[in-house]
């Protein structure tokens, strides 16, 4: 996996414009862009900087096998229980 980090304040006008278009909103001067490059199959691309055979444990795949609708339903339930959703905010 390749990870690239850019401070927004260090981007020139054209670079910042492209980054904001990519993320879909304006970026603040105090923000960073952290970009990870994965292979087309969702597998981590090997750029020679990662540990050999490094992978996450199976329990990290908590959404594996769920549809987008099922994930949305689960996340709404979790947010309600954590009181992170506030109607009208």
């Amino acid at each position: 996996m390749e990870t690239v980090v850019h401070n927004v304040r260090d981007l020139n006008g054209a670079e910042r414009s492209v980054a904001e278009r990519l993320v879909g909103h304006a970026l603040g001067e105090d923000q960073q862009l952290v970009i990870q490059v994965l292979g087309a199959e969702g597998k981590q691309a090997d750029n020679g900087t990662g540990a050999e055979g490094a992978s996450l444990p199976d329990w990290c795949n908590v959404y594996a096998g769920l549809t987008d609708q099922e994930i949305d339903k689960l996340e709404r339930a979790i947010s309600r229980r954590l009181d992170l959703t506030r109607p009208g905010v």
Side-chain angles (χ1 to χ4, degrees):
M1 171 178 62
E2 178 182 0
T3 301
V4 181
V5 179
H6 292 282
N7 291 314
V8 173
R9 70 174 142 300
D10 296 338
L11 299 176
N12 68 37
E15 293 169 334
R16 185 170 178 163
S17 178
V18 169
E20 289 175 336
R21 186 169 179 195
L22 181 65
V23 299
H25 58 80
L27 298 169
E29 290 290 317
D30 61 339
Q31 292 183 305
Q32 288 185 324
L33 290 171
V34 180
I35 302 168
Q36 292 187 331
V37 180
L38 302 175
E41 302 295 319
K43 296 179 182 172
Q44 296 179 353
D46 183 17
N47 67 352
T49 61
E52 290 291 323
S55 63
L56 295 173
D58 288 339
W59 61 264
C60 290
N61 299 318
V62 295
Y63 293 133
L66 298 177
T67 65
D68 287 342
Q69 293 80 13
E70 291 169 326
I71 292 170
D72 288 342
K73 184 179 177 181
L74 179 59
E75 288 179 346
R76 281 192 307 273
I78 292 168
S79 293
R80 276 193 305 274
R81 289 179 184 225
L82 294 174
D83 195 29
L84 297 176
T85 58
R86 294 174 189 93
V89 175

